[in-house]
Structure formats: C-alpha cells, structure tokens
Amino acid sequence: MTDKINAVKGMNDIVAPDSAHWEWLEGQVRALFARYGYRNIRTPIVEPLALFVRGLGEVTDIVEKEMYAFEDRLNGEQLALRPEGTAGVVRAAVEHSLLYDGPKRYYYMGPMFRHERPQRGRYRQFHQIGVEALGLAGPEADAELITMAADLWRELGLQDITLELNTLGQPAERQAHRQALIAYFEQHADQLDEDARRRLYTNPLRILDTKNPAMQALVEAAPKLLDHLGPVSLAHFDTVRRLLDAQGIAYRVNPRLVRGLDYYHHTVFEFVTASLGAQGTVCAGGRYDGLIAELGGKPAPGVGWAMGVERILELLKAQQRLPAVAVPDAYAIVPDAGAWPQVLPALRALRAAGVSVVMHATTADGLGSMKSQFKKADASGARYALIFGAEELAAGEVAVKPLREGVAGTITAQTRLPLAQVAQWADRLRGDAQP
Ligand code: ATP
Ligand code: MG
C-alpha cells in the first residue's frame, strides 16, 4: 500500500451525518434571510491579494499573519484565499455597479481561510455565513441586521448568547482618540507587553483588545473613544440602542470592543457565548462606511456581520438543538441479482413520487444474505423494508415490512403492494421527518 495523504492541518472534512446538520442550518438561515429581503451573492474564493491588504488594512492580524497569499505560478499575479467575505462582496458591488439603482442587501455562505493555530472553534479553513447591507446609511439598517441575528438565535433555539455593542465613531474622532491613546500608553510604556509596544504607533486601538491579564488595569483606565465622539456619531449610536430597546433586544455596551478590521465606522458588535470556552464569539460585524470608496467605488455606506458556522453548530450541539438526522423512508432488499430489471424501475417511480429509498447493492463481498441485508436495512434507520423476493415479483408485487415500532405512516404490518401502482402507495411510505 502506498502512503495515504491527509487533509491540510486545520482544514476539516464534513461528513454525514454531520453534513446534514450543516445543510439544515443553512436552510434555516436562508429562510430567515429571505423574510428580511436579503439575497444571495457568491464571490470567488481566490481574490487579488491587494483586495484584502487595502480592504482590511495592512496592520490587521489577518493581513499581517493569517493570510494564505501566493503567487499564481502561471502569470505571477499576487493572489490570496479569502480570509473573510465582506471585501469580496464590496469588490463585486463596485465592479458591477450593483448600487446604481439603489441599496442592496446580500448574504453569502462559504469557506474562509486564515493561517491560525488550529484549536477547538478555530480552524484554517472555516465557514462563515454573512450579510451585507450596502448603500444604507441610517442606524435603522444597523438595528435591522442585529435584529436578524437575534432572530436567528431565537429560531434556532439557542440561549446564552449576549450582544456586545460599541461605536467606533468616524475617522476624525478616531484620529483624536488615537493621539490620546498613544500619549497615554507612552506615559505608561513600562507596563506595555511586547505585542502592545509593537502596536503602539501602528494600531494602538488594538492594544485595548489585549487578553494579557497584566495589562487589564492599564487598558481599563485608557482614554475612551466615547469621550471623543461628536453629536453625529453619538446620535447614530443612540438610535441603534433605542431601536434595539424598542424590540426588547438586550445588549451590553462594551467600550473595549474594537474589532480586528480597519474598515469599521460607527456601530460594531459581537454576539458572544460563555458556552464555547475561549472561542466564544459566534457572530461579529459592524458598519464600514469607508470601505466602498476605499475599494474604488463611489462613496457609499455599508454594514454587515458574519457568523462562524462551526461555532454555531458546536453551540447547537452543546445546547441539544440539532435536529434528528433524516432517515430514508425505505430500504430495498434484493435477495437475487436477477431482480434488478424490476427493482430499478420500481424504485425510480417511488423516488419520483417523493419517497426516499436506499437500494441494497452488491459489495466486494457479494450481494449478501437476506439476514445481512435486513441488518443493513435496520442500520440505515429506514422505516420500511421493501422486499423484492422472487415470489413477490412473480406476482407483480413487492413486500413491505415496517422496521420500527410506532412509525409515522399507515403501514403497520407486513403487506404486499402492486408494483404497477407504486406511485399510488407512495404516500403511505413517505415520512414527514425530513429536516
Ligand atoms: P476571533 O477574535 O475569534 O479571532 P475574528 O475577530 O478574527 O474572531 P471575524 O473576522 O469577525 O473574527 O469573523 C467573524 C466570525 O467568524 C467570528 O466571530 C467567528 O465566529 C468566526 N471565525 C473567525 N475566525 C475563525 C476561525 N479561524 N475558525 C473558526 N471560526 C472563525
Ligand atoms: Mg481572528
């Protein structure tokens, strides 16, 4: 045997039955987004490196140390695997003038790539579901997006998710705050750790985000951006808060919430849970009014969020909110290989009528005895066995045997059904337990 090849570290295969939970979650999310009028957008996984350097900012963690960047071997272009979704959506909006006839609301789902240290809830290929409202300037758009996330938690039955809210104001206010921060940290240079010293002149705001316990007191007493905000920024933030209050959506104002990316203006927020250990942020976002212009578009505002699918699924699992995985309605038992010409058309007709059937088939060990086929039927979780025995087939029939006690459906004892009319009894076989 030759050596086997494994997946790249931090990149996971998602296999049944887990993949059924992914599909279910995606379906729940799509249904909710549709009710809010958000439409799907699909952008490439590979983008020009410059998109993220310019869009996210050169001194962000992602661009500095997490990005899968590479040169196209064939033409030397500098490319990157997307580390997040917003930059690509905005690029597409600018490239195709999507805002020419008014604002747009989009959602996306898909893999993102960051070279991080793999651990629970933190992977190198992970998945985000995100929403972007482009061309909407008012605080009601921020509130709508936050509400949509809160609705999602409610509809999924998730608990213990708290909303943390902050405002980053506008660039001039941030600049003034930045100067005040640098001055403050310079005064206390002896208390800064290495990371903080490195960031002091490049991204002092990020120092506020430190997880170093030795620096907590220092950071706690640092100048607050809130004290540098003018009336426009304060009013925007105030309205977002009032609109959340009006809907009974609880939040905590966290002045230290700064988010990792440079493009945020005004509102930023995270949904955080204590149930997932260190990787507790399940959804994060904010307003990015500068980004569209930064990426070459006619200046227009934007706001969005992204949630980590792996973390949401883990939380659903921890809180026992994952649905039972769907089982097939039936498993077709085929005692003799001569029966295929009758079995395949009958199963095809059943499937056309909405019945899910797994067909027993020959493996490297052969077709298998009736007993072993029944074992497989049981293991499949199917509610009925369809037995295509020689005697039944000779009579133009198939035997139907319930495999479970108390199954939904109307066939409760073994019976025989005419093959010529499969579509007519499809209703009696079909379950209603598809998640
Ligand atoms: P963190 O502080 O956990 O690194 P982040 O600020 O880098 O998060 P965002 O860029 O805001 O994360 O991405 C939005 C969401 O995507 C996060 O809240 C999280 O749920 C998820 N996420 C981010 N990075 C990863 C990762 N490496 N693996 C799994 N999920 C991730
Ligand atoms: Mg990160």
Side-chain angles (χ1 to χ4, degrees):
M1 261 203 289
T2 49
D3 287 346
K4 65 183 166 118
I5 296 173
N6 292 330
V8 175
K9 192 171 170 220
M11 305 199 180
N12 300 310
D13 301 308
I14 300 151
V15 181
D18 290 352
S19 50
H21 294 143
W22 284 68
E23 292 185 310
W24 167 80
L25 176 61
E26 289 160 3
Q28 297 287 112
V29 169
R30 267 194 204 102
L32 174 70
F33 289 171
R35 277 178 269 141
Y36 273 86
Y38 283 70
R39 301 203 295 175
N40 188 222
I41 183 167
R42 301 176 188 223
T43 62
I45 285 170
V46 176
E47 294 275 6
L49 173 63
L51 173 65
F52 303 112
V53 175
R54 219 203 291 172
L56 276 53
E58 239 158 312
V59 294
T60 51
D61 278 0
I62 293 181
V63 170
E64 269 185 343
K65 48 189 194 201
E66 297 175 358
M67 195 132 68
Y68 282 94
F70 58 99
E71 188 181 289
D72 185 323
R73 273 206 293 195
L74 301 179
N75 63 11
E77 258 185 282
Q78 296 299 313
L79 303 174
L81 300 185
R82 63 183 187 191
E84 56 95 59
T86 303
V89 171
V90 169
R91 178 203 46 72
V94 170
E95 185 169 344
H96 309 296
S97 307
L98 297 176
L99 299 186
Y100 80 97
D101 62 347
K104 291 284 152 51
R105 291 171 164 95
Y106 294 119
Y107 77 86
Y108 58 84
M109 306 184 174
M112 306 294 163
F113 301 83
R114 298 183 194 176
H115 198 101
E116 306 207 60
R117 193 170 66 77
Q119 52 195 292
R120 178 180 172 213
R122 193 175 290 288
Y123 310 99
R124 290 180 174 172
Q125 174 173 332
F126 64 100
H127 296 75
Q128 285 185 339
I129 296 176
V131 286
E132 316 290 354
L134 305 177
L136 296 174
E140 70 280 8
D142 310 26
E144 176 182 270
L145 275 164
I146 293 172
T147 305
M148 193 159 68
D151 282 358
L152 185 60
W153 317 143
R154 192 188 57 200
E155 292 184 10
L156 294 173
L158 289 173
Q159 284 166 351
D160 300 327
I161 299 180
T162 55
L163 170 60
E164 306 219 326
L165 194 64
N166 191 23
T167 176
L168 300 182
Q170 299 170 82
E173 296 155 349
R174 284 167 77 164
Q175 196 54 34
H177 175 237
R178 187 189 143 97
Q179 292 315 324
L181 267 186
I182 292 175
Y184 170 81
F185 285 128
E186 276 175 337
Q187 272 170 22
H188 301 89
D190 53 321
Q191 294 173 51
L192 297 179
D193 63 13
E194 196 191 310
D195 221 26
R197 264 198 292 273
R198 187 170 53 81
R199 284 174 164 152
L200 179 54
Y201 299 103
T202 55
N203 200 350
L205 206 61
R206 287 287 279 164
I207 300 178
L208 299 178
D209 218 11
T210 180
K211 302 204 163 78
N212 181 353
M215 283 179 47
Q216 294 308 310
L218 180 70
V219 156
E220 209 60 65
K224 303 258 183 300
L225 176 63
L226 220 46
D227 298 328
H228 290 84
L229 296 185
V232 172
S233 293
L234 287 172
H236 188 103
F237 192 47
D238 194 54
T239 306
V240 172
R241 294 178 58 171
R242 276 193 297 115
L243 295 176
L244 295 176
D245 292 339
Q247 302 178 91
I249 295 174
Y251 56 85
R252 185 176 81 92
V253 175
N254 176 1
R256 287 179 50 192
L257 180 67
V258 296
R259 307 284 305 117
L261 310 183
D262 267 5
Y263 54 50
Y264 288 111
H265 283 53
H266 290 302
T267 321
V268 290
F269 53 90
E270 288 190 355
F271 286 92
V272 185
T273 177
S275 316
L276 288 180
Q279 265 53 257
T281 305
V282 291
C283 176
R287 179 165 278 285
Y288 47 81
D289 291 349
L291 183 61
I292 296 177
E294 184 68 37
L295 294 178
K298 190 166 150 261
V303 55
W305 54 247
M307 67 183 217
V309 177
E310 284 84 353
R311 293 185 193 179
I312 293 290
L313 283 166
E314 181 140 326
L315 191 59
L316 283 160
K317 187 173 174 200
Q319 299 186 358
Q320 298 176 353
R321 287 290 169 182
L322 288 173
V325 171
V327 295
D329 294 322
Y331 189 97
I333 294 196
V334 186
D336 187 286
W340 298 126
Q342 285 148 294
V343 172
L344 274 108
L347 297 187
R348 189 183 189 199
L350 275 177
R351 289 161 180 156
V355 179
S356 57
V357 198
V358 176
M359 182 179 81
H360 186 82
T362 315
T363 67
D365 299 326
L367 185 58
S369 64
M370 281 279 268
K371 190 170 162 212
S372 76
Q373 292 196 29
F374 264 107
K375 264 197 190 147
K376 294 229 165 62
D378 262 329
S380 77
R383 297 176 309 116
Y384 297 107
L386 301 178
I387 308 155
F388 290 86
E391 190 202 324
E392 288 91 345
L393 287 175
E397 292 178 338
V398 60
V400 182
K401 182 178 183 217
L403 294 172
R404 306 248 173 297
E405 291 288 317
V407 293
T410 56
I411 302 170
T412 50
Q414 180 152 347
T415 177
R416 277 162 70 147
L417 296 166
L419 279 177
Q421 293 137 35
V422 283
Q424 285 168 26
W425 40 271
D427 278 352
R428 301 180 60 196
L429 292 175
R430 205 167 37 221
D432 43 16
Q434 316 286 348

